[in-house]
Each structure stands twice: as structure tokens, then as C-alpha cells.
Amino acid sequence: RVARIWSRTLERVRAARLAPAFITVRAGTEGWIEMLPKVHAKRLHSDGTAESYLVRLEPGARAPAHGHPAGEECLVLEGAVRYVGADTLNAGDFQYAPAGAEHAELVSDTGALVFLRYARPVTEYINL
């Protein structure tokens, strides 16, 4: 009986060592960097290729027109983001920009919190 208990315990230990680890990024003020005036980003995850970020835009924030060397997923969590001469994305709106897509200048009149997932490292999009 002791041998069975020991065997099951060892199986659980081995399984725990093989199980993938969760990555948790806590809310708060740590880890934010200024990408542009009034635009701050916090990297949530990178697997060496794709990267996920939270981006906080203060009221009046602007980002220049830019292209996408790879796909980008954008989900507006709070506020609104307006593309000059084009769409406005409000809280809850999702937009996918495929590789090769061009954005007009981006403005947030009210401020916004946005989740972005890049199919390539962000440094291929923006000089940091």
C-alpha cells in the first residue's frame, strides 16, 4: 500500500514539472513605458514572435499614420480611438489590420485603453 501511495505521489510531482506555467501580469503602475507623448504601453506577453500589449491613450493622444508589417488585433476596452478621416472605434469594438494595411493618423479625444496583439515584435512597427 505504501508503494502505491509513493508511486502516485511521484506521478503527480512529474506531472506538475511538465505542466506549463501560467504567466500573470498584475494591474498597476509597473511596467508601463511611454511610446509616444500621451501614449503608454505595457507588454503583457511575448513568445519571441507575437506580442500582446495594453496601451493607454490619454485624452488628446495622437499616433502618426503607420503601416503593418504583420497582422495586428485591436480591442478597445475603454474610451474611443478615431482614425483621422476614417472610423472611430469605441469600447467593445474589435479591428484586425492584416499585413500590409495602412492606418491613418490615430487620435483619442477622450482617452482609451486598448488591447493589442501583434503578429511580430512591436519593434518592427514602432521605434522604441
Side-chain angles (χ1 to χ4, degrees):
R1 180 167 194 226
V2 172
R4 266 189 313 169
I5 293 172
W6 183 248
S7 177
R8 281 186 290 182
T9 302
L10 286 176
E11 286 175 25
R12 288 181 185 152
V13 168
R14 284 187 200 108
R17 286 183 185 157
L18 298 175
F22 289 97
I23 296 170
T24 302
V25 178
R26 300 285 179 200
T29 58
E30 293 180 17
W32 290 90
I33 61 167
E34 185 174 71
M35 295 178 76
L36 296 164
K38 298 185 178 186
V39 179
H40 294 84
K42 181 177 194 171
R43 186 167 75 178
L44 302 174
H45 181 258
S46 176
D47 64 8
T49 302
E51 295 183 338
S52 299
Y53 285 83
L54 277 180
V55 177
R56 184 167 302 281
L57 299 107
E58 297 174 29
R62 303 179 90 77
H66 61 280
H68 292 269
E72 174 193 274
E73 297 177 34
C74 172
L75 176 63
V76 179
L77 302 172
E78 299 173 358
V81 177
R82 174 173 55 89
Y83 295 98
V84 175
D87 288 342
T88 295
L89 300 177
N90 297 296
D93 290 346
F94 173 84
Q95 182 179 71
Y96 175 73
E102 298 283 329
H103 273 310
E105 181 183 21
L106 178 144
V107 178
S108 183
D109 300 312
T110 60
L113 180 63
V114 177
F115 172 82
L116 293 176
R117 183 177 184 281
Y118 298 100
R120 288 194 182 161
V122 74
T123 53
E124 293 186 25
Y125 295 75
I126 300 169
N127 291 328
L128 295 178

